[in-house]
Structure formats: structure tokens, C-alpha cells
Amino acid sequence: MSTEYKKSNGNGKCPVIHGALTESGDTPTAWWPNNLNLDILHQHDTKTNPMDEDFDYKKQVKKLNFKKLEKDLRDLMTDSQEWWPADLGHYGGLMIRMAWHSAGTYRIADGRGGSGTGNHRFAPLNSWPDNTNLDKARRLLWPIKKKYGNKISWADLMILAGNIAYESMGLKMYGFSYGREDIWHPEKDIYWGSEKEWLGEERYDKDGINRSSLENPLAAVQMGLIYVNPEGVGGNPDPLRTAKDVRETFARMAMNDEETCALTAGGHSVGRAHGNGDASKLGAEPEAASIDQQGLGWNRADGGGLGVEQVTSGIEGAWTTHPDKWDNSYFKLLLENEWELKKSPAGANQWEPINMKEEDKPVDLGDPSKRNNPIMTDADMAMKMDPEYRKISEKFYKDHKYFEKTFARAWFKLTHRDMGRRVNYIGPNAPKEDLIWQDPIPKNKFKIKNKDIDVLKNKIAKSGLSVSQLVTTAWASAASFRGSDKRGGANGARICLAPQKDWKVNNPSQLSKVIKVLEKIKKSFDSKKKQVSLADLIVLAGGVGIEKAAKDVGKKIKVPFSQGRGDASQDQTDIHSFGLLEPKADAFRNYADADHSEIAEEMLIDKAQLMNLTGPEMTVLIGGMRVLGANYDNSKHGVFTKKVGKLSNDFFVNLLDMDTEWKEVSPKEDLFEGKDRKTGKVKWTATRSDLIFGSNSQLRAFAEVYACEDAKDKFISDFVNAWTKVMNLDRFDLR
């Protein structure tokens, strides 16, 4: 018998008998690629996490010797290694690029991406063309990660390395916060684009002329890039066209023109690009490299490609006179010289100066006695050619201190945007200033007693507000939360402020009536000695509604309530930025914007994931919200009960009733009627967000649990637990 091992490649069979599906493409649902991906609700669970159950990173990181760690990082910057030599003896440019590319995936549309999880270690990010050789930066950091162990996460370490790099080169940073907790496998929920090849051109309408037509929620122009193509739109140099891409992509990362210009210039004020060689000689990226490469990629088979021979972007050269020092030579060189298109040794398009003074040129990477032309990318030239960016560039050139301050604050925003409010910040260098993009909330100075909470609950119960009104208001307040960037939630009571109070999904006319009643209760309760925040009162009121709904089915319960929320002001709310949290759909309220094109059940899964819900939690919440009458605008779709306002499991019982036959009744296939099979009489109406719990096999399995005769108590208990979780999603102070 032959013992030869042959890897199966789809054309043949593996002679070794194994029954496991060991390749990522071989999944049970691969036959049905359009099936719902419920896996995104169950990622990052305890089975993939190697840490002990009681491991708390926020507690561990506080045990760090912060000064010692930062000194070690400073020493690393100039400790050049033979296996990957530092440019001019300094790793600063490499570390800054790593930090930037880790944080720069953030996008405002859904809050996904960013540096908050250490996802940069995993596919696809670790193998994007734009991240070529950043695997080397992480390996250079490994001795430090190894030394400090689990007291420092990769997510924190990568960003901290960028900060220390700048400081070691002479820039005073605005600040840094620890507190980013690592994940242990790629984030399965993030849509990076539909392209099947790197650097494809598929994200724009038709011919791609309208650059604002970039597909949402994406913020990069091509698959495998962080922002824009450094050689120009589609690889064709044209600074004015590139300026449009730069403005759009940076806006989608929450940056204005001044911040964009500062980040572009500050990122290229140190370090250099690499393209002094033949790019075709580079080996496969990390995820495709052979096992002997041990997780590294882009290595040349001949062992070359180090130092002066390195190829990364393909662009070759430094932007400034002294790429290992922070100074203002970026603007001096950019604005005081004329530039022309050239080709790098690797064949990339780049801009080089015409007749530049020899003393302004950076020294050669391999021979310090020589000087070479600096370079600019198309994005750099946009800072000079675009009229608005030009004004800002000239301002920065004239006032270096202002540029430094603007860049340092923009860099902090870039690297901390997905960390949420300041309450999540850890460490001695965390700024104390409240910044508008952090969605600040004043601290509630009062702690009310249990007897006072009972008084408030009694006032709410007697206010005349219905179960539906109480529940929908609390939900509308809390369900704005998204775990991707830790924004939204009930804390702050922004449901009472613009823009959230005017969101269509919140039924503004009804909402205002409920808020007025609750404000009246608050006013009658508050005194100099005790006060309740409106944020707390809204959540408490939701609990009162649920307790009544349970009582009406013979179940006495107490919905957990944790006080301590504060009330934000309108001045503490960035209307435009916060407005991006407005949902196109909220299946929990059976709401979908009329203009949406996405499939309802996919939007349901998307929102549930952003709210950190599991499949069972999502299921039980849907069933409870329907019977409580919490639909948008009092719609009857999915309200499979004759006892609206009572916390029963009727939704599941009637959904799974085989005496009901369902048929589509709308051209968009989003509305359905359920008729009695015998009489033909319409019993119920439903949306796709309702029927998916009977259609999808996995969701049906969850629904069956709650439809059983012995599940009535379990349904109520699970609903209350899931509800409480939603109400406390943004209570970072409780964790």
C-alpha cells in the first residue's frame, strides 16, 4: 500500500481518511452561499479564547510598569536587526505605518474596523497588498510582547509602538490610552468588499467618475488598500482626481479637511517608501506563504529584498530631508519645489522634484555620502494641487507648532475612535479632556435609594403610559448602541436630543409625548438632595412596562435595574456624527426604511451583531417585542397574539403553527399573509424579519425552544436577561 500523501485540491481525493472539514471554504452551508451567516453572532466565544474565564484585560493592563514598557519600545526603535534592518537605523517609520494601518480601517458608516481588537494580526488584513511587510513590524515587537505577556494586548502594543515611534523622532503626542482587548480569530462580521481579486475596480457607479458613489459602508477605494491608491485613481496619476478620493475616504473615517491634510503630512514626515527592486520576486503574502515561512510573507526565495533592496509599495524614496526626525521639511519640500512624474525602480508611479537643492535631498539608504531625490505620492501632490488642501498646507508650513498640535490630536482620534467614551481609557497618558467625537456624558452625582426607585416605578405605572410606549421608548434609547465602536446606547439620554429624537424609526410624535410624561415625573421627584437622570428614568420605565406585561400572564418578576446614567446636553452631541447611527432598519421594531435595498433578515443579523447579541438572545427579543406591541408605528406585522401587551410566547407558538399557510402579498417580497389552511381566512400578517424565524433552520431551532408548552417561564426569563443586556450595553462603568 502506498503511503504517499497527496493534498486534495478539488480535482482528486485525499487517500488519508479524515472526516473533518479542515479548510475554511468547506462549510456545511457552502452549497447555499446566500444562506444567513449566523456565525457572526457567535464569534469570539470562550472556545476560541485561550485566556482563563476570569481573565480581565482591563485589570491586567493596569498592573503594567508603563514607563518601563515605553522605554523598551524606545530602545527597540534603534535596535536594528540583521534579519530586517531598520531604515537609517530607526524603525519609527515602519512602526508608525503598522499603527496607522491597524487603526485606519475604521469607518463611520457601521463603526467597524479600527485598532480596537488587534484584528490586524489576522486575515485578510495581515495579507492585504497595502500591508506588505508589516508582518515584520509585529515580529520585531514580539520580544516585548513576550516579556510583558498578557498585561499588554497586541491591539494596544501596535498603537503604542506608533506613538513611541513619533516621540522618539521628536514629536510631542497628545496622549495614549490602553484598554484594547485582543480577539483570537479574524472578525467574521466585517464586509471588506465584494471583489474577488486584489485592487479590483468595483466600488463605484458605472465608470467610476463620481467618487462619492463609493459603495457603503466601505471607506477604501480598492480591495486591499487602507485608503487610496498612492499612484493615483486606478493607478493613473492625477492629483486633483486623487484629492476627491482622499476627501471622501477620510470623511468616511470621520476626518475633516484639516485633519486629513495633517494626517497625510504627519504620516509622511518620517519614514520612507520602498520600491528598489523587482516586485515580481516577492513571495506569497502571509496567509498564502509556505509553512516554513512561519507566518511571514512577501519574502524573496533568494533571501534578498532586505534594506536597500526592499520592495513594499513599489514607490521608492523618502518624503523629507531627514526621514528619521520629526520636522517641517515635508511642507518645505512639497510647496517650494516643482514636481514631475517618474518611475520607481519597481515600476511604480511617483513624483520627484525638478532641480531640488542638494542639501534638501535625503541621504541614500545604503550610502550616507550620497543624496537622492525625495518622492511624493499622488495623495501628497493632492495636498498641493487641490485648492482647499493647498490653503491648509500653507497654513501648516507657516505655523509648525499649529501643525504639530493638529496632527497629534488627529492621530489620537485616528487611533482611539473605536474605543468609545473616555470612561474606557486606561493609563497615565490618557487625556482628561472631553472631545466631542467621544460622545461625552456628565457623571451622575446622585445615587438614589431603593425606596426612591420604588416610588419612581409607582409614578411611572400610574402615568397612563402603555406597556408599548414604555418598552418602545426604552428600546429606542438603548438600541442605538453599536459594539463596533462603542457608540450610542441609553446612557446620556440622547433619545431626547437632536438628531436621535427626530429619527423616523423612533416615531417622533409618540416619543415626544412619552418623554414629556417622564420629564414631568423627574421634575416632581428631583430635589437638592436627590435627582434621577432622564437616562435612568427611561430605562426604569421600560422595566416597569415589562414587569406589568409579565404580571398580566401570571408571572411576578423584577427587571434588574442599574442606576448611574447621566444626561448629555445638546452641546455635547455632534449632530452629524451621531446621525450616522440612525438605523436603516430595526427588525426588533419591525421597521425598515422604504428606500432600503438590503434584505430585511440580513439587516436583522447585522444589527444584532452590532448590539453584541447572540442568536438565542436575538430570537427571544424578537418574540417578546412583538407580543408587547413594540412595532414601529403600531404596525400589526408579526404580532402573532390576541393578547398584545402581555409577555407570552405566542409569537413562537403561532409562527410554528402548521394550520397557517403563508403567502407573499407584495411585489418586493417583504410582506406576507398567514391564512387558515381550512377556511382561507387571514389570521396574521408578517414581514421577512418575522418569517425568517420559521424559515431558517437554525433560527427555527431556537424558535422551537420557546414555542414548547414547558417554555413559558424560560421565555420570560430569557427575554428579561436579554433585555437587561441591551439596556446596559453602554454601561462600561459596570464592567
Side-chain angles (χ1 to χ4, degrees):
M1 179 182 291
S2 173
T3 58
E4 180 184 6
Y5 175 84
K6 294 181 179 178
K7 183 76 171 76
S8 174
N9 60 9
N11 297 319
K13 295 182 178 180
C14 176
V16 179
I17 299 175
H18 61 266
L21 298 173
T22 55
E23 292 186 344
S24 59
D26 298 331
T27 65
T29 57
W31 293 96
W32 305 276
N34 294 326
N35 203 5
L36 279 179
N37 180 19
L38 295 177
D39 285 350
I40 69 173
L41 303 181
H42 306 134
Q43 57 182 336
H44 315 311
D45 65 6
T46 56
K47 289 185 177 181
T48 63
N49 192 334
M51 309 309 294
D52 297 336
E53 273 191 40
D54 60 352
F55 177 78
D56 186 335
Y57 177 64
K58 292 186 182 296
K59 289 182 180 179
Q60 290 299 313
V61 75
K62 292 176 182 177
K63 299 177 182 178
L64 268 176
N65 186 326
F66 298 110
K67 289 185 177 180
K68 191 174 180 180
L69 168 61
E70 292 169 16
K71 182 183 182 301
D72 286 348
L73 282 169
R74 283 189 179 86
D75 292 343
L76 169 72
M77 297 300 159
T78 53
D79 185 16
S80 186
Q81 301 295 309
E82 187 176 344
W83 65 269
W84 196 257
D87 294 340
L88 301 175
H90 204 298
Y91 285 119
L94 179 65
M95 296 299 169
I96 288 165
R97 179 168 161 256
M98 173 192 62
W100 183 299
H101 285 218
S102 176
T105 56
Y106 174 81
R107 66 249 188 144
I108 56 176
D110 59 3
R112 293 186 170 98
S115 59
T117 63
N119 193 34
H120 203 253
R121 296 139 52 223
F122 303 118
L125 302 183
N126 69 352
S127 294
W128 274 5
D130 218 3
N131 291 332
T132 301
N133 290 327
L134 290 180
D135 52 344
K136 315 304 191 298
R138 292 190 296 275
R139 290 300 171 89
L140 288 165
L141 286 175
W142 168 241
I144 291 179
K145 170 62 178 161
K146 179 175 177 285
K147 176 179 179 178
Y148 293 94
N150 297 320
K151 293 184 182 67
I152 182 70
S153 67
W154 272 110
D156 274 344
L157 186 59
M158 285 188 284
I159 300 302
L160 179 61
N163 268 44
I164 298 298
Y166 272 119
E167 290 180 350
S168 70
M169 292 174 159
L171 174 65
K172 180 177 174 57
M173 305 302 289
Y174 175 72
F176 174 81
S177 170
Y178 297 85
R180 303 166 185 80
E181 190 166 359
D182 284 339
I183 56 174
W184 300 98
H185 62 74
E187 290 172 315
K188 300 177 180 180
D189 57 291
I190 303 180
Y191 172 70
W192 294 117
S194 61
E195 301 96 323
K196 304 302 181 185
E197 60 180 18
W198 301 123
L199 307 179
E201 294 277 356
E202 301 174 22
R203 302 187 171 192
Y204 297 88
D205 292 344
K206 298 178 182 178
D207 54 10
I209 292 177
N210 177 14
R211 306 310 287 176
S212 64
S213 68
L214 177 62
E215 179 188 357
N216 271 314
L218 303 177
V221 302
Q222 290 173 289
M223 174 65 75
L225 295 181
I226 302 298
Y227 300 117
V228 304
N229 191 324
E231 297 186 62
V233 178
N236 301 307
D238 184 343
L240 289 176
R241 280 198 78 195
T242 293
K244 295 179 180 179
D245 274 9
V246 172
R247 183 167 281 111
E248 182 66 30
T249 59
F250 274 72
R252 293 186 179 210
M253 208 192 67
M255 300 295 173
N256 60 31
D257 274 2
E258 188 173 68
E259 291 168 325
T260 300
C261 184
L263 286 169
T264 302
H268 293 168
S269 289
V270 293
R272 71 189 316 277
H274 292 273
N276 191 25
D278 185 354
S280 67
K281 292 183 178 180
L282 291 181
E285 65 274 17
E287 288 298 310
S290 58
I291 196 169
D292 61 291
Q293 295 299 300
Q294 291 291 278
L296 292 176
W298 302 289
N299 289 332
R300 280 174 40 173
D302 61 5
L306 304 179
V308 295
E309 298 180 340
Q310 189 188 144
V311 176
T312 298
S313 66
I315 293 170
E316 169 63 22
W319 290 268
T320 62
T321 309
H322 306 290
D324 58 340
K325 295 180 176 64
W326 174 267
D327 58 28
N328 208 23
S329 61
Y330 175 88
F331 290 114
K332 173 181 169 64
L333 302 192
L334 176 66
L335 298 175
E336 289 189 357
N337 292 276
E338 295 300 317
W339 298 77
E340 62 181 349
L341 273 173
K342 294 281 190 175
K343 288 284 188 180
S344 76
N349 294 309
Q350 60 187 46
W351 294 82
E352 296 186 24
I354 303 171
N355 299 324
M356 175 176 282
K357 296 176 182 177
E358 195 69 15
E359 63 266 27
D360 287 340
K361 297 179 180 179
V363 299
D364 184 82
L365 190 60
D367 185 356
S369 67
K370 297 180 181 177
R371 290 181 179 269
N372 301 320
N373 273 338
I375 54 93
M376 295 287 167
T377 69
D378 222 50
D380 295 306
M381 294 303 297
M383 300 300 110
K384 178 176 182 175
M385 303 301 292
D386 178 87
E388 292 304 313
Y389 287 142
R390 174 74 184 236
K391 291 177 186 175
I392 298 167
S393 295
E394 289 177 346
K395 183 178 182 179
F396 286 157
Y397 183 28
K398 293 175 183 176
D399 191 343
H400 184 54
K401 292 295 182 184
Y402 181 72
F403 166 57
E404 286 186 325
K405 181 181 178 181
T406 305
F407 171 76
R409 294 174 76 92
W411 174 265
F412 181 83
K413 181 179 179 179
L414 168 77
T415 54
H416 292 73
R417 179 77 189 192
D418 61 341
M419 290 188 68
R421 296 196 302 275
R422 197 161 53 80
V423 68
N424 295 321
Y425 290 3
I426 297 171
N429 297 319
K432 300 294 190 284
E433 180 184 5
D434 278 329
L435 304 168
I436 191 70
W437 55 265
Q438 297 169 330
D439 302 328
I441 300 171
K443 190 175 181 180
N444 189 342
K445 300 177 181 179
F446 295 88
K447 185 174 182 178
I448 54 179
K449 299 177 180 178
N450 288 336
K451 64 178 183 180
D452 289 323
I453 292 174
D454 291 337
V455 169
L456 286 168
K457 290 174 70 173
N458 189 51
K459 286 178 178 288
I460 294 166
K462 294 179 178 179
S463 67
L465 295 173
S466 67
V467 168
S468 172
Q469 289 173 317
L470 296 171
V471 169
T472 54
T473 302
W475 181 269
S477 182
S480 59
F481 179 82
R482 59 187 195 189
S484 53
D485 55 359
K486 302 178 178 63
R487 300 188 68 200
N491 202 354
R494 285 190 166 87
I495 188 73
C496 307
L497 306 173
Q500 194 177 352
K501 69 180 180 65
D502 300 314
W503 290 350
K504 185 180 177 181
V505 64
N506 292 337
N507 204 340
S509 60
Q510 176 180 286
L511 173 65
S512 65
K513 294 176 183 176
V514 176
I515 296 300
K516 284 180 181 178
V517 173
L518 295 179
E519 285 176 335
K520 188 176 180 181
I521 292 173
K522 171 178 164 59
K523 187 177 180 180
S524 68
F525 175 84
D526 287 352
S527 68
K528 291 183 178 180
K529 296 183 178 180
K530 60 182 182 182
Q531 290 182 23
V532 63
S533 69
L534 194 55
D536 270 344
L537 194 59
I538 290 169
V539 172
L540 186 64
V544 170
I546 292 169
E547 289 175 3
K548 182 181 186 307
K551 183 180 179 181
D552 288 345
V553 294
K555 187 74 174 177
K556 187 176 181 180
I557 64 168
K558 187 173 183 179
V559 178
F561 170 73
S562 298
Q563 61 175 298
R565 299 170 184 83
D567 292 336
S569 68
Q570 192 65 68
D571 290 342
Q572 293 170 314
T573 305
D574 184 336
I575 292 178
H576 171 72
S577 177
F578 202 86
L580 296 166
L581 273 64
E582 181 178 3
K584 290 184 179 179
D586 182 355
F588 297 94
R589 288 177 277 180
N590 229 336
Y591 168 83
D593 190 287
D595 296 329
H596 78 89
S597 58
E598 297 86 351
I599 298 173
E601 59 267 33
E602 292 180 356
M603 291 192 291
L604 163 64
I605 304 300
D606 179 71
K607 184 165 183 63
Q609 195 278 328
L610 287 173
M611 292 173 65
N612 298 341
L613 297 174
T614 66
E617 288 169 339
M618 175 185 71
T619 302
V620 77
L621 282 168
I622 286 283
M625 294 287 280
R626 292 293 185 272
V627 297
L628 292 175
N631 275 355
Y632 166 74
D633 208 20
N634 297 313
S635 161
K636 300 302 179 184
H637 301 318
V639 184
F640 305 149
T641 183
K642 304 298 183 184
K643 302 172 292 186
V644 180
K646 298 181 180 181
L647 195 55
S648 72
N649 65 340
D650 284 2
F651 173 85
F652 302 108
V653 172
N654 290 313
L655 172 69
L656 304 182
D657 184 2
M658 290 305 298
D659 289 335
T660 303
E661 182 180 24
W662 292 97
K663 294 291 185 182
E664 299 168 6
V665 293
S666 69
K668 295 176 69 175
E669 301 180 3
D670 58 356
L671 283 180
F672 303 82
E673 286 183 347
K675 295 183 178 181
D676 187 288
R677 290 185 186 274
K678 293 181 179 178
T679 67
K681 184 180 178 181
V682 175
K683 298 166 65 177
W684 317 108
T685 61
T687 67
R688 298 185 67 91
S689 298
D690 302 309
L691 295 195
I692 194 64
F693 290 91
S695 171
N696 179 275
S697 58
Q698 191 173 344
L699 293 180
R700 186 178 182 95
F702 296 152
E704 288 172 348
V705 169
Y706 295 115
C708 291
E709 288 294 326
D710 61 355
K712 295 178 181 179
D713 288 350
K714 177 178 173 57
F715 163 71
I716 292 175
S717 176
D718 287 3
F719 177 82
V720 170
N721 288 338
W723 172 271
T724 304
K725 176 179 175 177
V726 171
M727 295 301 113
N728 291 331
L729 283 170
D730 65 340
R731 292 298 304 277
F732 309 113
D733 56 310
L734 299 178
R735 299 169 199 171

